[in-house]
Amino acid sequence: MLEKTNQVNLLFDFYAPLLKGKQREYLELYYLDDLSLGEIAEMHEVSRQAVYDHIKRAEKQLFEYEDKLRLSARHEQRQALLARMQKIAEGLADEKAREDLTTLLHQLSEMD
Amino acid sequence: MLEKTNQVNLLFDFYAPLLKGKQREYLELYYLDDLSLGEIAEMHEVSRQAVYDHIKRAEKQLFEYEDKLRLSARHEQRQALLARMQKIAEGLADEKAREDLTTLLHQLSEMD
């Protein structure tokens, strides 16, 4: 369950803007804010089943988006390459190059 | 028109997997294979209007995806940062570091 939570959280980071209103909202409350189905149902004055259905559909969508676009997988790969470059950069005798590369690597890593 | 074509082609590279059957198919024939609406209509035995509607909807979707995920814009930014790093790498006296960084930069650039 924890692994599933982590996966959903990660995918949510990439694909949240593609989710529709209620799906996004309930998923966020459930996974990110850690509310229970019952709490969300009460909050929104809907049935627990309705909340559950929206969340299940949203989860499914996130995994489908990842199957199609692979943003999360590519993010991982990119971060691994950036880490290798950072190691090389740190070993450079040329101080200016070392600093400039580190700055650019940081920018790349942040925007991913 | 040429600019529009370029934009659509670019966005298609990023978001094609999210487009649904006919939308993706007609858009590809129209923009990538450069067929006319009439030719696509004839090929698929549908009206020219139907082809036009699918293509317009697909275009709209591509721009909406870009508004939401900004994959194309972020790709541009990343490529600019990679180009700056490549310049620094080329100027390094340390041959091994230069080659290793160039290889990694190439990998990063390719996977984007």
Side-chain angles (χ1 to χ4, degrees):
Chain A
M1 182 56 193
L2 195 62
E3 198 194 338
K4 170 88 177 285
T5 303
N6 288 340
Q7 266 186 315
V8 172
N9 274 323
L10 194 64
L11 295 181
F12 190 81
D13 279 347
F14 290 100
Y15 303 111
L18 297 182
L19 294 177
K20 304 249 172 2
K22 289 271 170 268
Q23 281 179 31
R24 177 173 176 171
E25 202 175 336
Y26 294 169
L27 198 79
E28 195 162 352
L29 291 169
Y30 186 68
Y31 279 107
L32 281 72
D33 302 338
D34 205 27
L35 297 191
S36 70
L37 295 177
E39 288 170 321
I40 301 170
E42 205 174 313
M43 209 170 129
H44 283 269
E45 300 182 344
V46 293
S47 71
R48 198 179 166 287
Q49 184 65 41
V51 174
Y52 178 82
D53 290 345
H54 275 298
I55 289 174
K56 282 295 135 189
R57 221 170 304 141
E59 283 175 4
K60 193 163 163 268
Q61 285 248 292
L62 288 180
F63 285 98
E64 280 175 11
Y65 287 137
E66 177 63 9
D67 273 348
K68 288 176 177 170
L69 298 185
R70 304 193 56 70
L71 296 186
S72 176
R74 278 154 63 195
H75 168 81
E76 291 279 307
Q77 289 170 13
R78 253 200 303 267
Q79 293 295 332
L81 291 174
L82 292 176
R84 285 171 65 190
M85 293 176 74
Q86 181 57 40
K87 250 203 169 132
I88 297 172
E90 280 165 12
L92 290 174
D94 181 338
E95 193 180 339
K96 170 103 175 70
R98 191 169 68 233
E99 282 176 10
D100 288 350
L101 282 173
T102 300
T103 304
L104 291 166
L105 283 165
H106 186 71
Q107 283 180 42
L108 268 171
S109 178
E110 286 292 298
M111 65 169 292
D112 202 14
Chain B
M1 181 59 193
L2 195 61
E3 200 194 338
K4 171 87 177 287
T5 302
N6 288 339
Q7 265 186 315
V8 172
N9 274 323
L10 195 63
L11 296 180
F12 189 82
D13 279 348
F14 290 99
Y15 303 110
L18 298 182
L19 293 178
K20 303 245 172 6
K22 289 271 169 268
Q23 278 177 33
R24 178 173 174 171
E25 202 174 335
Y26 294 170
L27 197 78
E28 196 162 351
L29 291 170
Y30 186 68
Y31 279 108
L32 280 74
D33 301 338
D34 205 26
L35 297 191
S36 70
L37 295 176
E39 287 170 323
I40 302 169
E42 204 175 311
M43 209 170 128
H44 283 268
E45 298 182 345
V46 294
S47 71
R48 198 180 167 287
Q49 184 65 42
V51 175
Y52 179 82
D53 289 345
H54 276 298
I55 289 174
K56 283 295 134 188
R57 221 171 304 139
E59 283 175 4
K60 192 163 163 267
Q61 285 248 291
L62 289 180
F63 285 98
E64 280 174 13
Y65 287 137
E66 177 64 10
D67 273 348
K68 287 176 177 169
L69 297 185
R70 306 195 55 69
L71 297 186
S72 175
R74 278 155 61 197
H75 168 81
E76 292 278 307
Q77 288 169 14
R78 255 201 301 268
Q79 293 295 332
L81 290 174
L82 292 176
R84 285 172 63 190
M85 294 177 74
Q86 182 57 39
K87 245 193 175 142
I88 297 173
E90 281 166 11
L92 291 174
D94 181 339
E95 194 180 339
K96 170 106 175 69
R98 191 170 67 231
E99 281 176 11
D100 288 350
L101 282 173
T102 299
T103 303
L104 292 166
L105 283 165
H106 186 70
Q107 283 180 42
L108 269 170
S109 178
E110 286 292 297
M111 66 168 294
D112 202 15

